[in-house]
Protein backbone atom coordinates (compact mmCIF):
# COMPACT_ATOMS: atom_id res chain seq x y z
CA UNK A 1 0.00 0.00 0.00
CA UNK A 2 1.46 3.37 -0.96
CA UNK A 3 2.06 5.88 1.80
CA UNK A 4 0.97 9.47 2.03
CA UNK A 5 2.33 11.48 -0.88
CA UNK A 6 2.82 15.21 -1.06
CA UNK A 7 3.64 17.37 -4.05
CA UNK A 8 5.70 19.29 -4.74
CA UNK A 9 8.50 18.36 -2.35
CA UNK A 10 10.17 21.76 -2.60
CA UNK A 11 8.85 25.15 -3.57
CA UNK A 12 10.33 28.63 -3.73
CA UNK A 13 8.01 31.62 -3.88
CA UNK A 14 8.27 35.34 -3.32
CA UNK A 15 6.35 37.49 -0.89
CA UNK A 16 2.82 38.29 -2.00
CA UNK A 17 2.46 35.25 -4.20
CA UNK A 18 0.12 32.38 -3.49
CA UNK A 19 0.86 28.67 -3.37
CA UNK A 20 -1.09 25.41 -3.54
CA UNK A 21 0.20 22.21 -1.96
CA UNK A 22 -1.24 18.78 -2.59
CA UNK A 23 -1.62 15.69 -0.41
CA UNK A 24 -2.79 12.24 -1.41
CA UNK A 25 -3.70 10.10 1.60
CA UNK A 26 -3.23 6.39 1.98
CA UNK A 27 -5.87 4.52 0.02
CA UNK A 28 -9.00 4.13 2.14
CA UNK A 29 -8.10 6.97 4.50
CA UNK A 30 -10.74 9.68 4.64
CA UNK A 31 -9.19 12.08 7.12
CA UNK A 32 -6.44 14.45 6.03
CA UNK A 33 -4.80 16.88 8.43
CA UNK A 34 -2.26 19.59 7.67
CA UNK A 35 0.57 20.79 9.90
CA UNK A 36 3.16 23.53 9.66
CA UNK A 37 6.64 22.83 11.04
CA UNK A 38 9.07 25.67 11.72
CA UNK A 39 12.19 25.81 13.90
CA UNK A 40 10.65 28.50 16.07
CA UNK A 41 7.09 27.26 16.53
CA UNK A 42 7.54 23.53 16.05
CA UNK A 43 4.65 21.51 14.69
CA UNK A 44 1.35 23.33 14.59
CA UNK A 45 -2.01 22.04 13.45
CA UNK A 46 -3.55 23.89 10.51
CA UNK A 47 -6.79 22.08 9.70
CA UNK A 48 -8.38 18.71 9.15
CA UNK A 49 -10.71 17.48 6.44
CA UNK A 50 -12.96 14.47 6.52
CA UNK A 51 -15.38 13.52 3.76
CA UNK A 52 -14.75 16.81 1.94
CA UNK A 53 -15.65 18.90 4.99
CA UNK A 54 -13.34 20.92 7.20
CA UNK A 55 -13.87 19.46 10.66
CA UNK A 56 -11.32 21.31 12.71
CA UNK A 57 -9.12 24.36 12.31
CA UNK A 58 -6.02 25.56 14.09
CA UNK A 59 -5.07 29.10 14.96
CA UNK A 60 -3.88 30.38 11.59
CA UNK A 61 -4.99 33.44 9.61
CA UNK A 62 -7.52 33.21 6.81
CA UNK A 63 -4.72 33.30 4.23
CA UNK A 64 -4.40 29.58 4.93
CA UNK A 65 -7.18 27.55 3.42
CA UNK A 66 -7.75 24.06 2.19
CA UNK A 67 -10.15 21.67 0.59
CA UNK A 68 -10.69 17.98 0.12
CA UNK A 69 -11.94 16.21 -2.96
CA UNK A 70 -14.26 13.23 -3.26
CA UNK A 71 -11.26 10.90 -3.65
CA UNK A 72 -9.94 12.22 -0.29
CA UNK A 73 -7.03 14.06 -1.87
CA UNK A 74 -6.51 17.40 -0.23
CA UNK A 75 -5.01 20.72 -1.23
CA UNK A 76 -3.80 23.53 0.94
CA UNK A 77 -3.56 27.09 -0.28
CA UNK A 78 -1.65 30.01 1.17
CA UNK A 79 -2.35 33.42 -0.30
CA UNK A 80 -0.32 36.63 -0.01
CA UNK A 81 2.75 34.78 1.17
CA UNK A 82 4.88 36.23 3.95
CA UNK A 83 8.47 35.44 4.86
CA UNK A 84 7.23 33.74 8.02
CA UNK A 85 5.30 31.21 5.96
CA UNK A 86 8.58 29.49 5.10
CA UNK A 87 8.20 26.06 6.66
CA UNK A 88 7.83 22.37 6.12
CA UNK A 89 4.17 21.61 5.49
CA UNK A 90 3.16 18.11 6.48
CA UNK A 91 -0.03 16.28 5.87
CA UNK A 92 -1.25 13.23 7.74
CA UNK A 93 -3.96 10.75 6.91
CA UNK A 94 -6.09 8.51 9.05
CA UNK A 95 -8.98 6.15 8.55
CA UNK A 96 -11.11 7.73 11.20
CA UNK A 97 -12.10 11.16 12.39
CA UNK A 98 -13.04 10.41 15.93
CA UNK A 99 -10.11 11.24 18.11
CA UNK A 100 -7.16 9.23 17.01
CA UNK A 101 -5.79 5.92 16.00
CA UNK A 102 -2.93 5.70 13.61
CA UNK A 103 -2.04 8.83 11.72
CA UNK A 104 0.53 8.60 8.96
CA UNK A 105 2.52 11.53 7.66
CA UNK A 106 3.80 12.32 4.21
CA UNK A 107 7.37 13.53 3.53
CA UNK A 108 6.27 17.15 3.51
CA UNK A 109 6.56 20.11 1.17
CA UNK A 110 9.34 22.52 2.02
CA UNK A 111 8.20 26.03 1.16
CA UNK A 112 10.70 28.86 1.03
CA UNK A 113 9.39 32.40 0.73
CA UNK A 114 11.91 34.99 -0.47
CA UNK B 1 2.90 27.76 27.28
CA UNK B 2 3.12 24.46 25.42
CA UNK B 3 0.64 21.73 26.16
CA UNK B 4 3.24 19.04 25.57
CA UNK B 5 6.76 19.31 26.94
CA UNK B 6 9.89 17.33 26.21
CA UNK B 7 13.54 17.77 27.00
CA UNK B 8 15.37 18.95 23.90
CA UNK B 9 18.46 16.72 23.86
CA UNK B 10 19.50 13.21 24.82
CA UNK B 11 22.82 11.53 24.13
CA UNK B 12 23.49 7.82 24.68
CA UNK B 13 26.09 5.24 23.71
CA UNK B 14 25.31 2.56 21.16
CA UNK B 15 23.87 -0.52 22.87
CA UNK B 16 22.53 1.41 25.86
CA UNK B 17 18.85 2.06 26.49
CA UNK B 18 17.39 5.48 25.74
CA UNK B 19 14.49 6.95 27.67
CA UNK B 20 12.72 9.97 26.23
CA UNK B 21 10.23 11.68 28.49
CA UNK B 22 7.19 13.80 27.80
CA UNK B 23 4.60 15.55 29.93
CA UNK B 24 1.22 16.75 28.75
CA UNK B 25 -1.49 18.84 30.30
CA UNK B 26 -4.79 17.72 28.77
CA UNK B 27 -6.16 14.98 31.00
CA UNK B 28 -8.86 14.23 28.45
CA UNK B 29 -6.34 13.22 25.80
CA UNK B 30 -7.38 10.00 24.14
CA UNK B 31 -4.29 8.92 22.24
CA UNK B 32 -0.62 9.63 22.84
CA UNK B 33 1.91 9.14 20.10
CA UNK B 34 5.61 8.88 19.47
CA UNK B 35 6.94 9.97 16.10
CA UNK B 36 10.48 9.89 14.74
CA UNK B 37 11.83 12.47 12.31
CA UNK B 38 15.12 12.04 10.49
CA UNK B 39 16.84 14.98 8.78
CA UNK B 40 14.92 16.22 5.77
CA UNK B 41 12.14 13.69 6.24
CA UNK B 42 8.55 13.65 7.40
CA UNK B 43 7.30 12.08 10.60
CA UNK B 44 7.39 8.33 11.03
CA UNK B 45 4.84 6.88 13.44
CA UNK B 46 6.69 4.68 15.91
CA UNK B 47 3.95 3.73 18.28
CA UNK B 48 0.92 5.07 20.10
CA UNK B 49 -0.99 4.26 23.23
CA UNK B 50 -4.59 4.69 24.14
CA UNK B 51 -5.11 6.62 27.34
CA UNK B 52 -6.68 3.71 29.21
CA UNK B 53 -3.47 1.69 28.87
CA UNK B 54 -0.37 2.12 31.00
CA UNK B 55 2.16 0.23 28.94
CA UNK B 56 2.74 -0.91 25.39
CA UNK B 57 5.69 -2.88 24.07
CA UNK B 58 6.68 -3.27 20.45
CA UNK B 59 10.04 -4.96 19.80
CA UNK B 60 12.71 -2.55 21.08
CA UNK B 61 10.19 0.11 22.02
CA UNK B 62 8.36 0.37 25.33
CA UNK B 63 5.86 3.12 26.04
CA UNK B 64 4.88 3.88 29.62
CA UNK B 65 1.96 6.11 30.48
CA UNK B 66 1.35 7.56 33.92
CA UNK B 67 -2.01 9.18 33.51
CA UNK B 68 -2.11 10.54 37.04
CA UNK B 69 1.10 12.50 36.48
CA UNK B 70 0.37 13.07 32.76
CA UNK B 71 3.75 11.58 31.96
CA UNK B 72 4.64 9.56 28.89
CA UNK B 73 7.95 7.90 28.17
CA UNK B 74 9.53 6.04 25.28
CA UNK B 75 12.25 3.53 26.02
CA UNK B 76 14.42 2.29 23.17
CA UNK B 77 16.35 -0.83 24.07
CA UNK B 78 19.77 -1.57 22.55
CA UNK B 79 19.93 1.87 20.91
CA UNK B 80 21.63 1.92 17.51
CA UNK B 81 23.22 4.75 15.54
CA UNK B 82 20.26 4.54 13.15
CA UNK B 83 18.03 5.62 16.02
CA UNK B 84 19.62 9.07 15.97
CA UNK B 85 16.76 11.42 15.09
CA UNK B 86 14.28 13.82 16.65
CA UNK B 87 11.49 12.15 18.61
CA UNK B 88 8.17 13.90 19.05
CA UNK B 89 5.47 13.05 21.48
CA UNK B 90 1.95 14.14 20.62
CA UNK B 91 -1.53 13.94 22.05
CA UNK B 92 -5.00 14.09 20.60
CA UNK B 93 -7.77 15.56 22.68
CA UNK B 94 -11.06 13.90 23.34
CA UNK B 95 -13.66 14.42 20.69
CA UNK B 96 -14.25 14.00 17.03
CA UNK B 97 -11.07 15.33 15.58
CA UNK B 98 -7.50 14.34 14.86
CA UNK B 99 -5.91 17.61 15.95
CA UNK B 100 -2.55 16.50 17.35
CA UNK B 101 -0.55 18.68 19.72
CA UNK B 102 3.15 18.06 19.55
CA UNK B 103 6.03 18.62 21.88
CA UNK B 104 9.10 20.46 20.63
CA UNK B 105 10.93 17.21 20.00
CA UNK B 106 13.90 15.50 21.65
CA UNK B 107 17.05 15.19 19.59
CA UNK B 108 18.56 11.77 20.30
CA UNK B 109 22.23 11.36 19.49
CA UNK B 110 23.68 7.86 19.59
CA UNK B 111 27.45 7.69 19.92
CA UNK B 112 29.33 4.62 18.66
Amino acid sequence: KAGVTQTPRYLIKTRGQQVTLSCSPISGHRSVSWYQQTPGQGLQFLFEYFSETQRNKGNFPGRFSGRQFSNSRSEMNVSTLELGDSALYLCASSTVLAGGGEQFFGPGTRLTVL
Amino acid sequence: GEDVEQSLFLSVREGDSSVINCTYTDSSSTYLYWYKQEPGAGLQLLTYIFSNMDMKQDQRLTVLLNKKDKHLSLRIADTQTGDSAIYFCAETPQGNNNDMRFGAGTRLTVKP
Side-chain angles (χ1 to χ4, degrees):
Chain A
K1 203 182 237 189
V4 179
T5 57
Q6 291 187 246
T7 55
R9 291 293 312 279
Y10 302 93
L11 207 48
I12 299 175
K13 292 284 188 179
T14 56
R15 276 182 300 176
Q17 287 187 309
Q18 75 160 21
V19 67
T20 299
L21 313 181
S22 179
C23 172
S24 292
I26 292 171
S27 178
H29 286 197
R30 295 167 63 193
S31 166
V32 174
S33 300
W34 288 89
Y35 291 82
Q36 182 196 64
Q37 185 178 27
T38 59
Q41 299 297 316
L43 280 150
Q44 293 187 289
F45 172 77
L46 280 155
F47 28 64
E48 178 184 13
Y49 287 86
F50 186 86
S51 293
E52 302 178 65
T53 302
Q54 188 181 90
R55 298 302 180 114
N56 197 17
K57 191 177 189 314
N59 190 24
F60 278 81
R63 299 185 297 107
F64 292 81
S65 63
R67 58 179 175 166
Q68 187 179 34
F69 301 94
S70 58
N71 62 357
S72 294
R73 188 177 73 85
S74 177
E75 287 183 347
M76 186 194 118
N77 185 275
V78 188
S79 62
T80 321
L81 283 165
E82 300 177 0
L83 295 178
D85 297 332
S86 294
L88 181 67
Y89 289 88
L90 295 162
C91 83
S93 79
S94 174
T95 53
V96 297
L97 173 64
E102 294 179 320
Q103 294 199 52
F104 297 94
F105 280 81
T109 295
R110 185 163 296 281
L111 172 65
T112 303
V113 182
L114 303 175
Chain B
E2 284 192 353
D3 294 325
V4 181
E5 294 189 355
Q6 304 176 238
S7 52
L8 294 182
F9 302 98
L10 177 65
S11 179
V12 301
R13 293 226 171 262
E14 193 173 18
D16 288 350
S17 291
S18 308
V19 179
I20 303 171
N21 294 302
C22 170
T23 57
Y24 60 98
T25 56
D26 189 343
S27 58
S28 69
S29 291
T30 53
Y31 286 89
L32 296 131
Y33 300 82
W34 284 105
Y35 282 90
K36 175 184 179 184
Q37 187 176 38
E38 295 180 89
L43 296 173
Q44 175 193 351
L45 176 64
L46 288 177
T47 187
Y48 66 99
I49 190 167
F50 189 53
S51 57
N52 68 354
M53 298 168 65
D54 51 22
M55 181 179 126
K56 182 177 179 180
Q57 186 154 6
D58 184 1
Q59 299 182 340
R60 292 191 298 123
L61 305 179
T62 303
V63 177
L64 295 178
L65 175 61
N66 181 328
K67 199 170 180 182
K68 174 176 167 289
D69 295 338
K70 300 190 189 72
H71 183 265
L72 181 74
S73 68
L74 174 70
R75 179 177 179 270
I76 305 172
D78 186 26
T79 315
Q80 303 297 307
T81 54
D83 295 325
S84 293
I86 299 177
Y87 291 80
F88 291 92
C89 94
E91 60 173 352
T92 51
Q94 194 173 48
N96 291 333
N97 61 74
N98 282 319
D99 167 10
M100 284 197 288
R101 289 187 285 252
F102 286 85
T106 299
R107 183 179 294 277
L108 173 65
T109 302
V110 183
K111 298 178 182 176

